[in-house]
Amino acid sequence: MLEILLDATVRAGTPILFATLGAIINERAGIINLGIEGLMLIGALAGFAATHSSGSLLVGVSAAFVAAFAAGSIHAFITVQLRGNQIVSGLALTMFGIGITALFGKQLVGLTIDGFERVAVPGLSQLPVVGKAIFNQNLLIYLSFFLVAAIWLFFYRTRWGLAVRTLGENPAAADTCGVPVNLYRFLAVTSGSGLVGIGGAYLSLASTPMWIENMSAGRGWIAVALVIFAGWSSPKALLGAYLFGGITAMQLRFQALGTTVSAHILQMLPYFFTIIVLVISTLRLQKGASQQPESLGLPYDREDRK
Amino acid sequence: MPDFLKIEHIRKTFPGVIALDDVSFSVAPGEIHTLLGENGAGKSTLMNVLTGLYHPDSGEIRIDGRRLSFTSPRDSLACGIGMVHQHFMLVPAHSVFENILLALDNLPNLFSRKKYRARIKQLIDEFQLDLDLDSPVWKLSIGAQQWIELIKLLLRDCRLLILDEPTAVLTPQEAERLFKVLRQLKKQGKSIIFISHKMREVMEISDQVTILKKGRSIASLTRGEYDERKLAALMIGADKIPEWQKNLQLSTQISLDIQQLSVRNDRGLSDLEDFSLQLIKGEILGIAGVAGNGQKALAEVLTGLRKASHGRIMANGEDLNNSSARHSYIAGIAHIPEDRKTIGIAPDMSIDDNLIMKSFKNSAFARGIFQDKKSIRRNAQEKIAQFAIKSGPEGTPVRYLSGGNIQKVIIARELSEKPAVLVALYPTRGLDIGSAEYVHKVIADGAAQGMSTILIAEDLDELLKLSDRIAVMFRGRLIGFVDPQNSSREEIGLMMSGETGENDGGEA
Ligand SMILES: Nc1ncnc2c1ncn2[C@@H]1O[C@H](COP(=O)(O)OP(=O)(O)OP(=O)(O)O)[C@@H](O)[C@H]1O
Ligand SMILES: [Mg+2]
């Protein structure tokens, strides 16, 4: 029972994990991205369409990354180059994503593909309790484990990562150290968006190997909130995403057991609990120093005095 | 020797302000070149143009005779130009180590933390600094932050080093250490542009002085061609220095009776220990001490920013630590803080609004429940003229002002309500000599009208000139008083290092 629940937790949490990681990379560079929901949909549709026409999941995942990267570059151009309002631009990106995927997704509704299969890691997958949940999963889940570690190492062990973190805190400091502010911010936004796209592709290539209109169902918004819960750190993003995943898994279990509670109420629970945890964790935060990047949301103009 | 750097006819304007009108000067290799000018003359702006942060409207920058046009600090760094900015370019949330790391010019993308730690540690030890590499920068004193900026610059291999008021927040001893480094760099043939308002330093270190006035370079003088008087006259006009008199008739009334005050910091150590003092009405009480010996904690408890862990602050027979009088006392005390940009002003608000922030309840600035914009504007105009604040067009946010002018806005506001007590930390830090003198005059005039001042300063000349009494602090304790009339800089200096002098019976 616990094994099954853990397994379902990881599976349900992974798309949100990708999206949260992507959002963290955006915000670490100082750019708020409220287009996550739209980017997930774009990734989901592009991934599905490419897999369907090529028959290759690798092509599908790459297409999801590229499409979301391209869509993210609109947000990057508006917020970094033009120093536009990040909130407005992000919301517009979400609207755009919802609209365009509904339009182009019409002819794909009802088609099927062969989605990602489980690949067991020999030996480790036999471990009691966690073996199956961690070491008998599909390749995208293994990729997400790798990314959690890689992103942490990137931010805390490389010069690039240090530069990106400095951009989020005080872009003028980075600028005077010779960091190309706009280029790095642009790349952070686009590559972060690309990861969000993979999160979307997980939905259409692994969770339910088909295209359903609006299939991200608000997960992008949960990711936006989880960034705060995670304190902009990738290992904590994993915790947050699995919290959501865990509650999703449980409510599915309840539904399967056939309770009398309305399915709509049950489906609401993961969102509800995520918000509760978020509120509690930010309350706790307020006492200590905030981990929020200090220049988050602020455009950088070299000739402006701070 | 051919000039290393040549600047010709630089002009830079901002909306409504001509920051630089027409500036030309040149710097030779191995030369320490000082830029001197009033607050708002355009020194920082000029240096920002030189490092590619600002793009000039017109004019030329030549290095080794080649005309260059920088589009970003990255370009100027590539040409070997490095700068310490007047307003720190640090990330408060990052550790000292991380702040310095990013500034290294040859840091590979994947680097060995150990190797660079060792290298940075070595430099810190060389300067005899007490810096914890892992501490976040926001926890550090302003002086320590200044050293981080200096280390960032010195670790780079630069041909031209620009230092924008680096000594404003350093102790005289620290400044001396910095000068030693600068002289070594000079011997290696490096060029240095140095900015300071402290005449003593300018006289000591410069090979060449260029004077900026209202965005124009009006004179470049070689060492030997100038003295302090001449420089001051060129910079502001000697006749403009205000005159003032010390109030010699002290009353006997006590305005604040500080009894055995102790303050502990978050590590449980005492920042202030058993501190007792009686502040007399109309007195200017100087506090001398090497920075970090409890002066800041004293100012913070007196102004209500921190709570005392022990002891009392009495005024009119009430303990201001706990009683209901605390509120009105805190509202009534004037405070010139050390950290101007974070607690002194609201950076995005206009000068007008910043100036009435303390008196927004004052009916003179209100019309019913609305603000009276006209009288607020009138008040601002008065203060701007009085303190010679160089402000941009009406409504400009305060953050656009030059460092010294921000300081003037704070002082003008704090003294506007005729406070009974003024707690001033380094009030003339970063002010040009004319403005500093004006602030002295305002404090002395206030004293004559009964305002008691606690003046915390590093500059002993300033303390000796202004104070009626000087208290010396060491490690959070008051170790004795000196009479400014009959003591020398040396005596006070000795006491500041912990020697208890006269009231030390030998048994201590
Ligand atoms: N980014 C900016 N936007 C608008 N105005 C500016 C900006 N930078 C500087 N100024 C204006 O240019 C003028 C010169 O400022 P600057 O900081 O160069 O003076 P300064 O000589 O360094 O003075 P201080 O001794 O007080 O530091 C000031 O009037 C200031 O308000
Ligand atoms: Mg300046």
Side-chain angles (χ1 to χ4, degrees):
Chain A
M1 167 76 192
L2 185 62
E3 265 195 336
I4 299 171
L5 217 53
L6 278 179
D7 176 60
T9 296
V10 172
R11 305 195 129 232
T14 298
I16 292 175
L17 177 56
F18 274 110
T20 310
L21 292 176
I24 286 176
I25 295 177
N26 274 267
E27 296 204 0
R28 277 292 191 178
I31 307 287
I32 299 172
N33 191 342
L34 295 185
I36 306 293
E37 178 81 1
L39 290 168
M40 279 187 97
L41 286 170
I42 289 172
L45 182 70
F48 183 80
T51 307
H52 187 263
S53 57
S54 73
S56 155
L57 285 166
L58 181 64
V59 170
V61 172
S62 310
F65 182 85
V66 171
F69 186 99
S73 68
I74 305 173
H75 184 57
F77 183 73
I78 292 172
T79 58
V80 180
Q81 256 72 22
L82 304 182
R83 300 190 204 106
N85 185 306
Q86 300 178 9
I87 306 290
V88 174
S89 167
L91 288 173
L93 182 57
T94 285
M95 307 291 180
F96 169 74
I98 294 174
I100 199 165
T101 52
L103 179 67
F104 288 107
K106 277 225 172 67
Q107 61 264 43
L108 295 173
V109 175
L111 301 178
T112 54
I113 52 163
D114 292 327
F116 276 96
E117 304 278 350
R118 289 178 192 266
V119 181
V121 178
L124 290 174
S125 56
Q126 304 305 320
L127 286 175
V129 192
V130 293
K132 212 170 151 256
I134 301 179
F135 298 110
N136 185 21
Q137 292 291 11
N138 64 49
L139 291 175
L140 279 182
I141 291 182
Y142 296 138
L143 174 66
S144 74
F145 296 159
F146 168 78
L147 283 173
V148 168
I151 289 171
W152 189 88
L153 287 172
F154 171 78
F155 279 133
Y156 292 99
R157 287 293 178 271
T158 70
R159 182 179 196 271
W160 291 308
L162 178 59
V164 172
R165 280 192 293 134
T166 304
L167 288 180
E169 295 284 348
N170 182 359
D175 198 10
T176 52
C177 287
V179 175
V181 176
N182 284 2
L183 176 69
Y184 276 32
R185 275 194 158 174
F186 195 95
L187 287 177
V189 173
T190 48
S191 57
S193 299
L195 281 192
V196 176
I198 297 184
Y202 184 94
L203 296 171
S204 63
L205 303 182
S207 293
T208 46
M210 57 173 113
W211 167 252
I212 304 164
E213 193 178 317
N214 217 350
M215 70 189 303
S216 55
R219 288 183 181 82
W221 294 112
I222 292 293
V224 169
L226 282 181
V227 174
I228 301 165
F229 166 79
W232 292 265
S233 127
S234 61
K236 285 198 207 142
L238 183 122
L239 280 182
Y242 288 173
L243 169 80
F244 179 89
I247 298 167
T248 309
M250 277 202 285
Q251 65 91 6
L252 283 174
R253 192 90 200 136
F254 275 126
Q255 283 193 45
L257 292 174
T259 59
T260 50
V261 184
S262 151
H264 294 293
I265 300 253
L266 288 174
Q267 278 165 8
M268 185 196 73
L269 287 179
Y271 299 90
F272 181 71
F273 275 106
T274 308
I275 289 168
I276 297 285
V277 169
L278 203 72
V279 169
I280 294 170
S281 65
T282 34
L283 283 182
R284 190 203 60 209
L285 246 180
Q286 251 151 30
K287 275 186 238 140
S290 157
Q291 294 149 311
Q292 173 170 329
E294 212 168 292
S295 297
L296 183 62
L298 305 176
Y300 176 58
D301 177 356
R302 189 175 277 150
E303 301 223 344
D304 198 4
R305 269 195 177 177
K306 257 211 310 162
Chain B
M1 210 181 294
D3 291 328
F4 162 63
L5 169 79
K6 205 168 169 67
I7 285 182
E8 281 177 331
H9 307 298
I10 292 281
R11 184 182 166 85
K12 174 73 190 168
T13 55
F14 295 103
V17 195
I18 303 173
L20 297 174
D21 194 1
D22 180 0
V23 179
S24 308
F25 75 100
S26 46
V27 184
E31 172 180 294
I32 299 183
H33 196 120
T34 298
L35 275 184
L36 204 59
E38 284 180 288
N39 297 126
K43 304 176 294 293
S44 300
T45 306
L46 181 61
M47 294 303 103
N48 286 335
V49 166
L50 191 49
T51 53
L53 211 54
Y54 292 172
H55 194 78
D57 299 352
S58 60
E60 286 186 8
I61 300 171
R62 286 173 188 279
I63 286 181
D64 294 328
R66 247 178 342 121
R67 186 175 172 183
L68 295 169
S69 153
F70 299 137
T71 57
S72 73
R74 200 179 162 78
D75 295 347
S76 69
L77 285 169
C79 289
I81 301 178
M83 172 163 175
V84 167
H85 290 262
Q86 184 176 13
H87 295 300
F88 300 152
M89 295 291 182
L90 295 171
V91 178
H94 287 182
S95 68
V96 175
F97 183 49
E98 286 177 325
N99 269 283
I100 297 174
L101 267 183
L102 191 66
L104 297 175
D105 46 2
N106 49 5
L107 186 72
N109 281 309
L110 286 165
F111 54 88
S112 142
R113 289 173 82 85
K114 246 207 201 130
K115 178 175 140 198
Y116 287 99
R117 260 191 104 85
R119 196 166 140 210
I120 294 168
K121 195 85 204 139
Q122 189 194 339
L123 198 66
I124 289 180
D125 292 342
E126 225 169 90
F127 293 133
Q128 306 151 37
L129 300 174
D130 179 25
L131 265 185
D132 173 10
L133 278 183
D134 296 313
S135 160
V137 164
W138 63 265
K139 280 195 179 166
L140 302 180
S141 70
I142 309 243
Q145 295 186 19
Q146 180 70 66
W147 276 109
I148 299 173
E149 285 285 30
L150 287 166
I151 289 172
K152 275 168 64 179
L153 176 66
L154 295 173
L155 277 168
R156 269 184 180 276
D157 187 23
C158 291
R159 295 164 70 197
L160 172 66
L161 295 88
I162 301 172
L163 300 143
D164 195 351
E165 296 195 35
T167 56
V169 301
L170 297 183
T171 64
Q173 295 80 355
E174 285 175 313
E176 213 35 67
R177 252 182 274 157
L178 174 65
F179 288 167
K180 233 171 84 190
V181 182
L182 296 188
R183 289 200 189 94
Q184 277 167 14
L185 289 167
K186 177 178 144 169
K187 274 204 203 105
Q188 297 165 19
K190 311 215 164 182
S191 307
I192 293 159
I193 297 181
F194 175 74
I195 297 175
S196 170
H197 290 293
K198 300 181 182 169
M199 282 307 201
R200 198 188 281 274
E201 296 175 353
V202 175
M203 293 306 294
E204 182 186 334
I205 195 89
S206 330
D207 298 316
Q208 185 91 19
V209 178
T210 291
I211 293 163
L212 280 192
K213 190 169 184 173
K214 300 196 170 121
R216 294 171 152 269
S217 47
I218 56 164
S220 272
L221 304 169
T222 313
R223 194 184 186 97
E225 289 177 0
Y226 57 80
D227 58 22
E228 259 180 66
R229 293 259 298 289
K230 182 160 184 193
L231 292 179
L234 278 169
M235 190 167 101
I236 43 174
D239 52 315
K240 284 231 200 109
I241 302 223
E243 307 247 327
W244 55 274
Q245 290 256 294
K246 208 145 129 179
N247 174 26
L248 293 171
Q249 230 58 51
L250 278 185
S251 88
T252 49
Q253 219 178 318
I254 288 171
S255 62
L256 275 188
D257 187 1
I258 304 168
Q259 298 172 359
Q260 289 154 357
L261 209 57
S262 295
V263 178
R264 268 177 236 308
N265 59 28
D266 50 10
R267 277 172 293 176
L269 305 172
S270 290
D271 279 347
L272 200 64
E273 184 70 42
D274 202 16
F275 189 97
S276 300
L277 185 92
Q278 289 189 325
L279 187 64
I280 299 165
K281 187 165 188 284
E283 157 181 62
I284 301 177
L285 176 76
I287 303 239
V290 176
N293 276 285
Q295 300 94 320
K296 198 168 170 205
L298 176 65
E300 283 172 346
V301 265
L302 288 182
T303 51
L305 286 172
R306 247 165 110 174
K307 285 232 157 160
S309 47
H310 182 80
R312 300 196 290 183
I313 306 171
M314 307 287 288
N316 312 320
E318 279 183 287
D319 182 3
L320 301 172
N321 256 323
N322 302 306
S323 75
S324 53
R326 178 181 167 83
H327 214 78
S328 60
Y329 157 73
I330 290 172
I333 198 164
H335 181 203
I336 301 173
E338 180 182 24
D339 195 348
R340 302 161 198 165
K341 279 220 153 171
T342 42
I343 61 174
I345 51 159
D348 290 330
M349 286 167 70
S350 67
I351 300 187
D352 300 27
D353 290 342
N354 267 285
L355 280 172
I356 59 148
M357 215 161 270
K358 273 212 136 171
S359 21
F360 68 97
K361 285 186 187 158
N362 191 331
S363 57
F365 300 127
R367 232 193 236 154
I369 59 165
F370 297 104
Q371 286 191 324
D372 181 355
K373 284 288 177 199
K374 262 200 200 122
S375 65
I376 291 174
R377 180 70 210 155
R378 214 174 313 118
N379 172 62
Q381 278 165 338
E382 260 166 44
K383 295 274 148 54
I384 287 171
Q386 252 177 40
F387 284 82
I389 299 171
K390 188 164 185 248
S391 62
E394 190 184 330
T396 314
V398 170
R399 67 192 155 102
Y400 287 124
L401 301 193
S402 79
N405 283 302
I406 290 178
Q407 175 80 340
K408 292 191 210 172
V409 171
I410 296 171
I411 297 174
R413 177 191 65 214
E414 291 299 317
L415 294 177
S416 59
E417 289 283 88
K418 294 217 181 331
V421 177
L422 165 70
V423 178
L425 277 98
Y426 317 103
T428 55
R429 195 178 255 184
L431 294 192
D432 63 51
I433 46 174
S435 308
E437 207 56 27
Y438 185 70
V439 168
H440 290 165
K441 176 178 153 62
V442 177
I443 293 177
D445 289 353
Q449 291 172 21
M451 174 179 81
S452 311
T453 304
I454 291 189
L455 173 69
I456 297 173
E458 219 127 50
D459 183 352
L460 289 179
D461 293 330
E462 181 173 24
L463 281 174
L464 286 168
K465 196 168 80 175
L466 214 55
S467 316
D468 299 307
R469 264 194 306 168
I470 296 178
V472 183
M473 285 183 76
F474 182 68
R475 300 220 171 122
R477 287 173 183 275
L478 176 68
I479 58 166
F481 288 97
V482 289
D483 174 6
Q485 243 88 50
N486 313 308
S487 357
S488 64
R489 289 167 59 94
E490 288 69 32
E491 263 172 75
I492 304 176
L494 212 61
M495 275 179 86
M496 279 163 62
S497 62
E499 306 260 341
T500 28
E502 45 190 88
N503 42 9
D504 165 89
E507 72 267 40

